[in-house]
Amino acid sequence: MKKLYIHIIVMLCLCPALCHSQTWKEADKEKINSLLRQAKQMPRTTCWELFFARSFIGVPYVAHTLEVNDTEQLVVNTRELDCTTLVETVTALTLCVHQQVYTFRNYTDNLTMLRYRHGVLDGYTSRLHYFTDWILDNEAKGVVKEIQNPVSVFKAVQTINVGFMSMNPEYYKFLKANPDSVPVIEQTEDALNGRTFRYIPKNAVENTAAMRNAVHDGDIIAITCNKQGLDIAHLGFAVWHKDGLHLLNASMLHKKVVEEPMTLRTYLGKHPSHTGIRIVRITK
């Protein structure tokens, strides 16, 4: 796994053909470089996921920030975040620290590796649009691991049945303009469908020793749902408080990145379509 990941990074650095155009502003570069400089001086025992995620608290929630170009480019936007781009931004920064590399180029290499199938930006359809696909591809690279044990906590099984993108191409700028790409998206959906994953049902998200053992501070929380054609409804990071597990997320409700004041159990209870949580951990 680690060898594959290293190979991807080497290819990104050595092959100009793989280094596609990027979209970012100077403020984004300054933000990333500032965070990496801070991290370089901090104790190695720091929970990097929460350090980086908390640095974005208050940043406005804005959807579709990756859909700004007519052709696919690597978009870096630290000024506006949605739940997916917050997770990718924090994960790319955390990987930089694990690798002990601290430049903006290192960050964009990691972001490309995370966001695209096999780490290669090759058009819109190479982006890992469904989060189950994102998990599987990044597990194969050796940079994340989905946690599915102990079974006593992960009591439920999700069978993937995605198809929202191919069924609703009019909601996606690129697919609306390029209908010939819809069958390619459908192929990626078909490859996911039927796969099964254990998850924690929302009525089992409690403040117990078993839960605290299974879910760690900084783990990626992927909220499962029963919405037709979707696998995951929302993303964020796990934060344990005295009263239980909370979610640090780019919130559509709050219109910004927040560390939710309510417990995750309460949060899930307010959303009838949410069924539970899958847990993904960035590997050390």
Side-chain angles (χ1 to χ4, degrees), residues 152-153 200 203-215 240 242-245 265:
S152 61
V153 176
I200 305 171
N203 62 6
V205 179
E206 300 176 310
N207 190 10
T208 63
M211 273 292 298
R212 286 179 178 265
N213 180 60
V215 183
W240 281 103
K242 287 184 178 180
D243 63 345
L245 185 61
R265 181 182 177 90

Side-chain angles (χ1 to χ4, degrees), residues 127-231:
R127 198 195 311 166
L128 298 163
H129 295 280
Y130 289 98
F131 200 66
T132 294
D133 207 8
W134 190 98
I135 296 169
L136 291 170
D137 200 74
N138 283 299
E139 273 195 319
K141 296 164 189 163
V143 295
V144 303
K145 177 178 177 56
E146 180 160 11
I147 309 301
Q148 300 188 71
N149 283 310
V151 175
S152 61
V153 176
F154 292 83
K155 299 177 180 180
V157 175
Q158 180 187 34
T159 301
I160 303 302
N161 185 19
V162 293
F164 188 87
M165 291 183 69
S166 63
M167 290 186 293
N168 301 279
E170 67 275 11
Y171 295 161
Y172 300 89
K173 176 184 175 182
F174 181 86
L175 294 181
K176 186 176 180 180
N178 300 272
D180 56 320
S181 292
V182 174
V184 181
I185 294 294
E186 191 170 9
Q187 288 176 4
T188 67
E189 294 168 342
D190 289 343
L192 295 173
N193 288 336
R195 289 177 176 264
T196 59
F197 302 89
R198 300 198 71 86
Y199 71 95
I200 305 171
K202 64 182 180 182
N203 62 6
V205 179
E206 300 176 310
N207 190 10
T208 63
M211 273 292 298
R212 286 179 178 265
N213 180 60
V215 183
H216 298 173
D217 277 341
D219 282 349
I220 299 168
I221 292 177
I223 298 177
T224 57
C225 66
N226 56 21
K227 293 182 179 179
Q228 184 179 10
L230 294 177
D231 54 342

Side-chain angles (χ1 to χ4, degrees), residues 22-37 55-56 59-60 65-66 68 74-81 85 89 93 102-105 107-108 111 115:
Q22 300 178 4
T23 299
W24 49 271
K25 294 188 176 181
E26 193 62 31
D28 301 311
K29 184 176 182 179
E30 290 175 1
K31 174 73 171 180
I32 295 301
N33 282 334
S34 174
L35 287 171
L36 290 174
R37 282 195 301 270
S55 74
F56 294 103
V59 171
T65 56
L66 302 185
V68 293
L74 181 72
V75 174
V76 179
N77 186 345
T78 61
R79 298 155 285 106
E80 303 165 321
L81 295 164
T85 57
T89 299
L93 285 163
Y102 300 96
T103 71
F104 184 69
R105 172 61 185 272
Y107 167 80
T108 58
L111 189 61
R115 185 171 289 167

Side-chain angles (χ1 to χ4, degrees), residues 34-76:
S34 174
L35 287 171
L36 290 174
R37 282 195 301 270
Q38 292 176 58
K40 194 173 183 179
Q41 305 302 318
M42 294 173 66
R44 302 298 297 175
T45 54
T46 300
C47 178
W48 299 111
E49 298 89 339
L50 292 189
F51 165 68
F52 289 125
R54 283 173 169 154
S55 74
F56 294 103
I57 287 177
V59 171
Y61 172 93
V62 177
H64 310 301
T65 56
L66 302 185
E67 316 301 324
V68 293
N69 302 302
D70 292 333
T71 58
E72 187 72 10
Q73 297 182 18
L74 181 72
V75 174
V76 179

